[in-house]
Amino acid sequence: MTAEPAVTPHHGPVGEEPDEAARQLYLAIIAEGGRVPTGEVADADRGALRQLIDIGLLMVNRMDRCYTAVSPRSVSDRLGAELRSEATRLLVRAENLPGALDGLTRAYDAMPRPTDRAGGAVHVEGHVHIRQRISQLVSDCRSEVLTAQPGHRPADTLQVALLQDVQLLQRGCSLRTIYQPVALADPPALAYAEEVIRHGSLIRVLDEPFQRLIVFDRSVAVISANDDNSTAAFITDPATITYLVGTFERDWARADTAGAALGQAPARTIPDRVGRLLARGLTQRAVATRLGLSERTVAAHISRLRDRYGAQTLFQLGWLMRGARDDR
């Protein structure tokens, strides 16, 4: 007497479909009349055999020591009913979830927050407390976030920001960010930018100084309150927020798309940046300050630009370069 191989049925996920190996084994059994002795199943087919039994496409006949094919139509009807039942259960859970979490929601809404003691501005000290408060605002945000992020952002900060920002975008909120070119110079920053852009964020680059700013739903603005960013002011005064949003929108209008910074378009050279600032009417010293260069280096670039445009004075060079930009 041939011993029956041990094939213990176990139930997989509701609605699981057979893979290619299981499909081929089922067709082979059908070709043999829909019945195969238990001892004739090759060891290599044991995984596919177990899958067919779990799904219900094969039935174990222990009296005849064989496996018998079951109509896929009956299996489909059974699995369809199970899926509909599971879908109904999930819908009921979805309907009940807000009520189940109602107590926690009320506790979150009642959580103590800094009170307004300075005409619509609350100062929060310490990077940990600032990040915690910003995380709460990201979680509560329902429509839009505007951010201006000058300077370098540490890799660990970007990791936290990426998780929060992707979730924000997936909720349907919009996210617009202005960076300086230096802020997107590091690989972690580029990786962050590419990922949030993939989820719908908009990023522009502004090659001039600006202040750090975050605005949530145009109702709360966050700005740095000291030079090392260890204190932040959380502002709720409508007039102040309107002013800050207007400043952001003006910077946004002047900023360039992030294509060059992300390697999607030719980046501006230093002489191009010098010329761009000269065309705006900045002095040689102001250009050096903006670009973080020495005045001697800027003077050398200006000398080459004068030769290129045939300009005799700095004013004339700026005028000629402004005209060149307008002609593009």
Side-chain angles (χ1 to χ4, degrees), residues 144 146 176 215-221 238 241-242 245 248-249:
E144 173 192 58
L146 310 175
R176 287 190 286 156
V215 183
F216 296 94
D217 289 335
R218 306 202 177 198
S219 60
V220 181
I241 291 176
T242 298
V245 169
F248 175 90
E249 294 292 0

Side-chain angles (χ1 to χ4, degrees), residues 112-161:
R113 290 179 169 86
T115 56
D116 183 354
R117 297 189 300 272
V122 175
H123 288 76
V124 177
E125 297 183 357
H127 295 291
V128 173
H129 295 103
I130 293 171
R131 286 195 295 267
Q132 180 182 8
R133 180 67 181 119
I134 289 176
S135 295
Q136 292 172 352
L137 291 169
V138 172
S139 176
D140 293 341
C141 184
R142 293 294 175 266
S143 175
E144 173 192 58
V145 178
L146 310 175
T147 70
Q149 296 285 357
H152 173 76
R153 299 183 73 186
D156 56 347
T157 300
L158 287 169
Q159 289 178 352
V160 175

